[in-house]
């Protein structure tokens, strides 16, 4: 089924018709114990980018962090005697909190919209055949939110394609093929993906906004525009490979996993978006994480590690922000 799982019914999933956890089901107690053995030096890297008001956003989204009240404490409470009070600061974040910056796509994010297909009711279909029309609600989706995911405590592998090619960043639109994937595996001397692994593929594309807070505003805006104008990403065959190997998650340092170059092919002419979104998340419950920071593990040549993270239990949300840890 080329780029369209509706060519064959994709539910019930292999985890059962009622499953809402998806590919974290692959992470068994034995798998977790094996993953612990990958921590050899006691080093850790955090894999989340910084969240701030200069991060690039998919068009139409917002991220704004502010301190209510400006310069004063947001809470000013009585304490000891006349000379002391206890004061506190809060922040207010306005954002599509599950879809900004480093972010995890829950099973309640990508859908396949079906209109007039034989034997299928029209609607926007998620994982396991849930339709938005049935589970949507203004205070969060009634099924498939990140509260059902559980955790990722498993073998992580880095496929460092940028390093393998000897570049800081792959070019916009670059299609990472299985040849690239295998060349990186071989250069790194690690075994291929195993069931339940989290697979991280580095392109270098997020170098464009890594230092945005240190730049003049104009430069940060220009770099964000370039970042959003496309990206290097993975070919369908790579996602098919991860599906066949039963990975639990694919994470990347670009904004959207698949390759695009919008000047060469404008969004209105892209026939079908998101092969990996449809074929991994919607069809199989294999998760995606975007805008990750893979620089330190690349610098440390940490190709195999313990990956530990759990999404926030934002009931009925479409995703989660996050800062996973690689330990090696
Ligand atoms: C969209 O939300 C459009 O894409 P992504 O899942 O890549 O953030």
């Amino acid at each position: 089924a080329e780029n369209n799982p509706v060519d064959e019914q994709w539910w019930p999933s292999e985890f059962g018709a009622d499953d809402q956890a998806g590919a974290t089901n692959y992470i068994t107690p034995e798998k977790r114990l094996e993953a612990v053995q990958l921590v050899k030096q006691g080093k850790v890297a955090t894999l989340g980018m910084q969240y701030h008001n200069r991060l690039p956003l998919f068009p139409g989204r917002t991220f704004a962090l502010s301190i209510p009240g400006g310069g004063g404490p947001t809470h000013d409470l009585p304490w000891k005697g006349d000379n002391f009070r206890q004061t506190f600061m809060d922040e207010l974040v306005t954002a599509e909190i599950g879809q900004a910056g480093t972010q995890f796509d829950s099973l309640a994010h990508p859908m396949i919209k079906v209109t007039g297909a034989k034997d299928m009711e029209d609607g926007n279909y998620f994982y396991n055949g849930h339709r938005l029309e049935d589970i949507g609600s203004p205070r969060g989706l009634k099924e498939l939110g990140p509260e059902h995911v559980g955790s990722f405590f498993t073998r992580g592998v880095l496929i460092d394609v940028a390093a393998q090619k000897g570049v800081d960043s792959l070019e916009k639109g670059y299609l990472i093929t299985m040849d690239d994937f295998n060349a990186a595996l071989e250069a790194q001397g690690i075994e291929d993906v195993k069931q339940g692994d989290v697979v991280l593929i580095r392109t270098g594309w997020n170098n464009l906004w890594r230092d945005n807070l240190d730049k003049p505003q104009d430069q940060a805006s220009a770099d964000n525009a370039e970042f959003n104008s496309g990206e290097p990403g993975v070919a369908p065959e790579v996602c098919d490979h991860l599906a066949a190997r039963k990975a639990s998650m694919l994470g990347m340092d670009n904004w959207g996993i698949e390759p695009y170059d919008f000047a060469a092919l404008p969004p209105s002419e892209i026939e079908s978006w998101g092969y990996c979104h449809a074929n991994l998340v919607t069809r199989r419950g294999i998760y995606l994480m975007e805008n990750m920071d893979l620089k330190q593990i690349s610098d440390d040549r940490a190709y195999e590690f313990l990956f530990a993270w759990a999404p926030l239990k934002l009931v009925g949300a479409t995703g989660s922000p996050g800062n996973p840890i690689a330990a090696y």
Side-chain angles (χ1 to χ4, degrees), residues 16 40 89 98 106 108 114 133 135 171 196 220 250 257 263 265 277 298 322:
K40 296 189 167 46
M89 297 303 289
S106 83
V114 176
E133 290 70 12
I135 66 169
E171 284 175 16
L250 165 63
I257 305 292
L265 191 62
H277 283 69
S298 169

Side-chain angles (χ1 to χ4, degrees), residues 37-250:
Q37 303 304 314
L38 298 170
V39 186
K40 296 189 167 46
Q41 307 168 54
K43 288 182 88 168
V44 290
T46 54
L47 306 178
M49 296 288 281
Q50 292 182 347
Y51 297 89
H52 51 65
N53 292 1
R54 287 188 184 181
L55 65 79
L57 292 161
F58 193 80
R61 291 191 179 139
T62 302
F63 180 92
L65 184 152
S66 54
I67 302 292
T74 36
H75 302 277
D76 183 345
L77 304 173
W79 202 32
K80 294 196 186 299
D82 295 335
N83 300 107
F84 302 99
R85 292 180 67 81
Q86 202 169 33
T87 52
F88 299 88
M89 297 303 289
D90 290 355
E91 73 289 305
L92 178 70
V93 176
T94 306
E96 286 81 3
I97 192 66
Q99 297 295 329
T102 302
Q103 57 94 187
F104 165 84
D105 283 343
S106 83
L107 303 179
H109 178 56
M111 296 169 281
I112 295 168
K113 184 172 182 173
V114 176
T115 321
K118 194 167 163 288
D119 301 331
M120 282 181 86
E121 202 177 350
D122 286 359
N124 292 277
Y125 282 77
F126 293 106
Y127 171 74
N128 242 341
H130 289 286
R131 290 186 329 142
L132 177 64
E133 290 70 12
D134 302 321
I135 66 169
S137 106
R139 289 291 180 186
L141 294 152
K142 293 179 208 152
E143 313 276 348
L144 303 180
E147 73 275 18
H148 299 293
V149 171
S151 61
F152 297 85
F153 189 95
T154 188
R155 176 181 182 240
V157 292
L158 171 66
I159 308 292
D160 197 344
V161 182
Q164 203 277 324
K165 299 260 173 216
V167 294
D168 285 341
S169 171
L170 302 175
E171 284 175 16
K172 180 164 49 183
Y174 184 84
L175 188 75
I176 297 171
T177 62
M178 274 313 292
D179 283 348
D180 294 330
F181 186 96
N182 287 328
L185 268 186
E186 197 182 327
Q188 298 172 188
I190 58 163
E191 281 182 67
D192 201 352
V193 176
K194 301 178 199 171
Q195 184 162 325
D197 286 355
V198 168
V199 180
L200 306 179
I201 300 183
R202 193 176 81 90
T203 67
W205 191 240
N206 65 349
N207 287 337
L208 276 166
W209 66 277
R210 169 176 306 286
D211 301 322
N212 268 6
L213 288 180
D214 302 327
K215 300 172 192 164
Q217 173 72 57
D218 289 1
Q219 186 62 50
S221 300
D223 289 345
N224 282 351
E226 175 62 10
F227 183 76
N228 282 336
S229 70
E231 59 181 358
V234 282
E237 63 180 11
V238 174
C239 292
D240 290 345
H241 180 68
L242 301 184
R245 306 291 294 195
K246 298 183 186 284
S248 57
M249 178 154 72
L250 165 63

Side-chain angles (χ1 to χ4, degrees), residues 44-51 97 100-104 152 200 249 289-294 296 306-312 320-327:
V44 290
T46 54
L47 306 178
M49 296 288 281
Q50 292 182 347
Y51 297 89
I97 192 66
T102 302
Q103 57 94 187
F104 165 84
F152 297 85
L200 306 179
M249 178 154 72
M289 197 160 195
E290 295 157 350
N291 272 318
M292 298 186 78
D293 188 355
L294 306 179
Q296 191 185 332
L306 165 65
F307 180 98
W309 184 68
L312 298 183
S320 169
N323 188 17
I325 288 175

